[in-house]
Amino acid sequence: MTENDTRHALVLLGCPQVPVQTSMALYLVHNLAQRGIRPVIAGTPAARKLMEVADPGRHYLEEMTDIDAAIDEITEKRRDFDLCFVFIHNDSGVAYAGTMAYISEARVYALIFGEHAEDLAGEIEFPCEVVAAKATHNPMPLKRRLDEVMQWAVLRR
């Protein structure tokens, strides 16, 4: 398999106010890599720092970038992805997912979590796969939903 044959996934991380985001992002990145999909993490400075601290040996964090830089690259047609997973726990996360749905050719997955997951899921009015769970401190509800989606998501071309 060459680099051109490798599928790429963008993992978008907003403000890390809700504790489950970092552990679930690492879990997702691990699962993508296990399936031969190269993950790229784009996030706010705080989200990227939490990821770096959680994986100091860079076992899972091969490539990280600023969230706005990633959006600029896609908008300017310098780069795109096969899959895009957007972690959402507030309105700005919904806006990021909506942006990705319109500027990218990637299949977009809105990973909605936190106290208001159901309300935020109701705000989604753009094409994407919605994965929602009321998960704030305990990642297991979101993990279970993500596991269900991952069984078929990574198989689709």
Side-chain angles (χ1 to χ4, degrees), residues 15-36:
C15 182
Q17 290 175 322
V18 180
V20 301
Q21 178 174 277
T22 301
S23 63
M24 285 306 303
L26 281 170
Y27 179 76
L28 172 61
V29 167
H30 167 75
N31 276 292
L32 291 168
Q34 291 294 307
R35 290 169 169 82

Side-chain angles (χ1 to χ4, degrees), residues 82-101:
D82 301 293
L83 304 166
C84 177
F85 296 87
V86 183
F87 281 81
I88 300 170
H89 71 89
N90 59 25
D91 290 336
S92 64
V94 173
Y96 276 122
T99 297
M100 294 308 298

Side-chain angles (χ1 to χ4, degrees), residues 31-154:
N31 276 292
L32 291 168
Q34 291 294 307
R35 290 169 169 82
I37 299 170
R38 186 169 187 269
V40 175
I41 292 121
T44 64
R48 291 193 323 269
K49 283 295 178 197
L50 283 170
M51 295 293 284
E52 288 171 359
V53 169
D55 185 20
R58 291 283 181 129
H59 298 287
Y60 303 111
L61 307 178
E62 188 174 324
E63 183 180 351
M64 285 202 306
T65 187
D66 178 74
I67 195 168
D68 293 323
I71 290 171
D72 288 346
E73 280 188 314
I74 295 166
T75 301
E76 296 167 4
K77 307 287 187 218
R78 291 184 280 133
R79 186 173 198 183
D80 208 349
F81 297 85
D82 301 293
L83 304 166
C84 177
F85 296 87
V86 183
F87 281 81
I88 300 170
H89 71 89
N90 59 25
D91 290 336
S92 64
V94 173
Y96 276 122
T99 297
M100 294 308 298
Y102 289 109
I103 68 170
S104 176
E105 294 296 320
R107 176 172 289 281
V108 176
Y109 295 86
L111 305 179
I112 306 171
F113 59 99
E115 286 292 318
H116 308 288
E118 291 175 16
D119 295 336
L120 289 170
E123 293 181 22
I124 304 290
E125 297 178 351
F126 46 85
C128 72
E129 303 289 333
V130 175
V131 179
K134 191 173 181 176
T136 304
H137 292 94
N138 178 2
M140 296 312 290
L142 185 58
K143 178 191 176 297
R144 281 191 289 276
R145 292 281 299 123
L146 184 58
D147 285 344
E148 292 169 11
V149 170
M150 289 295 285
Q151 290 178 14
W152 54 267
V154 297

